[in-house]
């Protein structure tokens, strides 16, 4: 009985271990949503944009602190010999003097032509602009993920088509060999069947290589390690015939409202206008409040060190006014440069809007084309399949040559590839049009 129990325990452990190993070795299946979420959190381009935002926040805090007074401490120890002026008493003496000076000084800008206020406002705008640039970087990654994900699925279906064709051609080689041995076909028919099988094998290898290239591209977007495995989730075939019922200009105008690059361009104009205000501020005077406290010690006095520090303690406070008169046209040049930069930002905004229109127009026209193509490709695929099936029957009956059978097979293969290409292009451009309107991408 004990032996039976030991055996049961042993097999239970073995089975449990096998199940655990199977669970560990089973690769994760990535959905499109999984890829997008992971890429946004880990992609280095997004991280770099986020770091730029952090830098702008630091600059904003620094600009706000420029309103505050500064404070500096100073200390010096001096030795002089011969005829000199005592730095503490200001007496003219001929002696060796050891002196110590201690002090604190502070200044605060009261008015600087509005430059400080405008600098703070500009830095706040830069923080907001960098927030939009972070969103733009995320959007670029999302679009790249979508494109690579669909290319991966397209390539995966291409492998299946190529493998099916290879299996069919290998069967045709076997039939041709049997018919050659029976003397019912010539040698060239058999070699043509062999050549087609070799071509189809080459196509399988090429399709698998393309698939691996898309795997590499997607892994890089996700910032996965080279040793990480990646397998993507297939999509519902019912999505392939989604109808386009959207107005092109409505999509464009909505894209102008929701895409972050437009908001970033608007803010860039405002930022350059603040540059102009800052530059004009240099025409106005600067008024500062300055103050200091200090004390010192000199060796020619009979009073001890601590007493001298008390006796020599002094304080001062005052106002400092700086009036710009002529600075070799530096302010004039800065104002003119700022005005030019405003015009440049306005042009860049127009370029951004043109680029968005091009994206919307391209996606819209390609979506229309893909919908028409998928209908035609589906009908072509069905017709080519029927023709290929009939050709195989005729070939088995000896009523069709190997060359004609290969032609029918290649026609069917081309029809299959056209169909899956139209299918994924249809999905891609419809999803892009949704994305340009601020909607989430969902497959």
């Amino acid at each position: 009985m004990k032996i039976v129990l030991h055996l049961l325990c042993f097999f239970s452990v073995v089975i449990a271990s096998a199940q655990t190993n199977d669970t560990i070795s089973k690769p994760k299946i990535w959905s499109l949503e999984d890829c997008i979420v992971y890429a946004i959190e880990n992609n280095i381009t997004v991280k770099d944009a986020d770091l730029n935002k952090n830098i702008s926040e630091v600059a904003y805090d620094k600009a706000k602190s420029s309103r505050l007074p500064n404070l500096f401490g100073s200390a010096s120890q001096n030795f002089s010999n011969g005829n000199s002026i005592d730095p503490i008493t200001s007496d003219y003496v001929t002696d060796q003097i050891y002196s110590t000076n201690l002090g604190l000084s502070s200044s605060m800008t009261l008015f600087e032509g509005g430059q400080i206020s405008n600098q703070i406002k500009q830095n706040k705008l830069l923080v907001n602009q960098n927030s939009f640039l972070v969103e733009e970087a995320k959007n670029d990654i999302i679009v790249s993920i979508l494109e690579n994900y669909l290319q991966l699925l397209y390539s995966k279906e291409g492998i299946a088509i190529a493998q099916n064709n290879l299996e069919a051609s290998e069967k045709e080689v076997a039939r041709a060999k049997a018919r050659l041995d029976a003397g019912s076909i010539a040698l060239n028919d058999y070699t043509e069947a062999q050549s087609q099988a070799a071509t189809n094998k080459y196509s399988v290898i090429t399709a698998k290589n393309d698939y691996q290239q898309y795997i590499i591209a997607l892994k890089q977007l996700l910032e996965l390690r080279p040793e990480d495995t990646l397998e993507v989730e297939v999509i519902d075939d019912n999505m392939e015939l989604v109808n386009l019922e959207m107005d092109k200009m409505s999509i464009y105008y909505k894209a102008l409202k929701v895409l972050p690059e437009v908001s970033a361009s608007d803010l860039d104009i405002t930022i350059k206008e603040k540059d102009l205000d800052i530059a004009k501020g240099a025409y106005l005077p600067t008024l500062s409040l300055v103050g200091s406290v200090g004390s010192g010690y000199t060796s020619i006095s009979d009073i001890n060190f601590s007493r001298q520090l008390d006796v020599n303690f002094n304080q001062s406070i005052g106002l400092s006014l700086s009036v710009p008169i002529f600075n070799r046209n530096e302010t004039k040049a800065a104002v003119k440069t700022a005005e030019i930069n405003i015009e440049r930002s306005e042009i860049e905004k127009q370029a951004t809007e043109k680029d968005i229109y091009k994206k919307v127009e391209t996606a819209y026209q390609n979506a229309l084309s893909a919908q028409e193509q998928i209908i035609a490709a589906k009908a072509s695929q069905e017709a080519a399949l029927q023709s290929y099936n009939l050709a195989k029957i005729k070939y088995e009956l000896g009523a069709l040559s190997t060359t004609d059978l290969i032609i029918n097979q290649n026609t069917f293969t081309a029809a299959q590839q056209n169909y899956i290409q139209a299918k994924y292009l249809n999905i891609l451009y419809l999803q892009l049009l949704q994305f340009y309107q601020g909607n989430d991408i969902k497959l």
Side-chain angles (χ1 to χ4, degrees):
M1 185 66 181
K2 289 182 179 180
I3 296 175
V4 174
L5 289 175
H6 283 305
L7 288 173
L8 288 175
C9 291
F10 173 75
F11 285 118
S12 296
V13 170
V14 171
I15 293 171
S17 176
Q19 290 176 343
T20 302
N21 291 334
D22 182 66
T23 302
I24 293 173
S25 62
K26 186 177 180 180
K28 174 184 177 180
I29 306 298
W30 292 72
S31 67
L32 177 63
E33 185 178 357
D34 293 334
C35 293
I36 290 174
V37 172
Y38 190 88
I40 288 175
E41 292 178 355
N42 296 277
N43 186 267
I44 58 175
T45 303
V46 176
K47 287 183 176 181
D48 184 64
D50 200 49
L51 289 175
N52 288 333
K53 178 189 173 185
N54 293 341
I55 291 173
S56 68
E57 290 173 344
V58 172
Y60 176 51
D61 291 335
K62 178 184 175 182
K64 289 190 293 183
S65 298
S66 61
R67 293 187 187 276
L68 304 175
N70 58 24
L71 180 64
F72 295 95
S74 63
S76 64
Q77 180 70 37
N78 300 297
F79 168 77
S80 63
N81 185 38
N83 296 328
S84 62
I85 297 175
D86 190 306
I88 303 302
T89 64
S90 297
D91 293 334
Y92 185 78
V93 294
T94 303
D95 201 350
Q96 289 184 344
I97 303 173
Y98 295 93
S99 61
T100 302
N101 285 281
L102 303 172
L104 291 172
S105 62
S106 177
S107 66
M108 182 174 68
T109 302
L110 301 177
F111 178 76
E112 198 179 13
Q115 289 180 312
I116 294 177
S117 297
N118 286 319
Q119 186 67 64
I120 293 172
K121 293 176 183 177
Q122 185 188 58
N123 283 100
K124 177 60 176 175
L125 292 169
L126 285 167
V127 171
N128 295 336
Q129 184 188 44
N130 277 279
S131 297
F132 286 119
L133 293 178
V134 170
E135 293 304 313
E136 182 182 357
K138 290 179 180 179
N139 284 352
D140 291 341
I141 291 300
I142 290 172
V143 171
S144 296
I145 290 288
L146 173 65
E147 292 174 345
N148 277 271
Y149 194 92
L150 292 177
Q151 285 175 331
L152 196 57
L153 293 179
Y154 167 74
S155 179
K156 196 171 186 178
E157 288 200 34
I159 293 175
I161 292 173
Q163 287 177 332
N164 290 337
N165 288 337
L166 176 60
E167 291 173 4
S169 59
E170 287 175 342
K171 291 178 181 178
E172 289 161 8
V173 170
R175 293 192 193 99
K177 181 65 168 64
R179 295 176 67 186
L180 177 66
D181 293 341
S184 58
I185 62 171
L187 179 61
N188 68 314
D189 285 334
Y190 174 65
T191 55
E192 283 186 14
Q194 286 184 311
S195 175
Q196 182 63 25
T199 300
N200 288 344
K201 187 174 183 179
Y202 180 85
S203 298
V204 170
I205 296 171
T206 302
K208 288 181 177 179
N209 181 64
D210 291 341
Y211 179 77
Q212 290 302 321
Q213 294 302 316
Y214 292 131
I215 286 285
I216 293 171
L218 188 55
K219 284 175 67 174
Q220 288 188 331
L221 287 171
L222 296 173
E223 305 298 343
L224 295 178
R225 298 172 301 176
E227 62 269 22
D228 291 335
T229 58
L230 177 63
E231 186 173 344
V232 298
E233 184 179 71
V234 297
I235 61 176
D236 187 359
D237 285 341
N238 293 328
M239 293 189 62
E240 63 193 41
L241 291 174
V242 181
N243 292 320
L244 179 61
E245 297 178 353
M246 295 176 281
D247 178 67
K248 176 178 62 179
M249 295 310 297
S250 297
I251 298 172
Y252 170 63
Y253 290 128
K254 193 167 184 180
L256 293 180
K257 294 179 181 179
V258 300
L259 292 181
E261 51 263 44
V262 180
S263 300
S265 297
D266 288 333
L267 281 177
D268 192 60
I269 295 174
T270 309
I271 289 168
K272 295 302 188 294
E273 289 172 347
K274 287 300 173 187
D275 267 335
L276 178 60
D277 293 337
I278 293 169
K280 288 181 177 179
Y283 283 124
L284 301 176
T286 299
L287 179 64
S288 300
L289 176 67
V290 295
S292 66
V293 295
S295 187
Y297 163 82
T298 178
S299 61
I300 64 172
S301 176
D302 295 332
I303 306 174
N304 62 32
F305 185 83
S306 61
R307 178 61 179 163
Q308 281 196 51
L309 291 182
D310 184 50
V311 171
N312 295 326
F313 183 70
N314 61 84
Q315 314 89 37
S316 69
I317 188 170
L319 293 172
S320 174
L321 181 66
S322 174
V323 180
I325 297 175
F326 180 70
N327 63 353
R328 298 185 292 273
N329 290 327
E330 289 183 9
T331 302
K332 182 179 179 180
V335 170
K336 188 62 178 177
T337 301
E339 291 173 343
I340 294 172
N341 285 334
I342 291 173
E343 294 181 14
R344 176 178 290 175
S345 293
E346 291 172 346
I347 293 173
E348 289 174 353
K349 180 188 175 183
Q350 294 176 11
T352 299
E353 292 177 347
K354 284 178 61 179
D355 185 59
I356 291 173
Y357 177 76
K358 181 181 178 181
K359 289 179 180 178
V360 171
E361 175 75 20
T362 301
Y364 189 86
Q365 293 301 327
N366 286 335
L368 288 177
S369 176
Q371 285 192 342
E372 294 176 358
Q373 287 174 348
I374 198 170
I375 295 172
K378 190 171 185 178
S380 175
Q381 179 182 239
E382 292 172 353
L385 177 60
Q386 292 179 359
S387 178
Y388 179 48
N389 288 335
L390 289 173
K392 286 192 292 184
I393 295 173
K394 289 182 179 180
Y395 181 74
E396 291 173 358
L397 296 174
L400 193 69
S401 67
T402 303
T403 301
D404 290 333
L405 177 64
I406 291 172
I407 291 173
N408 277 273
Q409 185 188 52
N410 290 338
T411 300
F412 176 54
T413 300
Q416 286 179 299
Q417 292 173 338
N418 289 338
Y419 176 72
I420 62 172
Q421 183 182 42
K423 179 178 75 171
Y424 285 111
L425 287 177
N426 184 46
I427 295 171
L428 170 64
Y429 292 119
L430 286 172
Q431 289 298 320
L432 286 177
L433 291 175
Q434 291 292 336
F435 185 69
Y436 293 149
Q437 299 176 84
N439 301 324
D440 293 334
I441 290 178
K442 293 181 180 180
L443 296 181

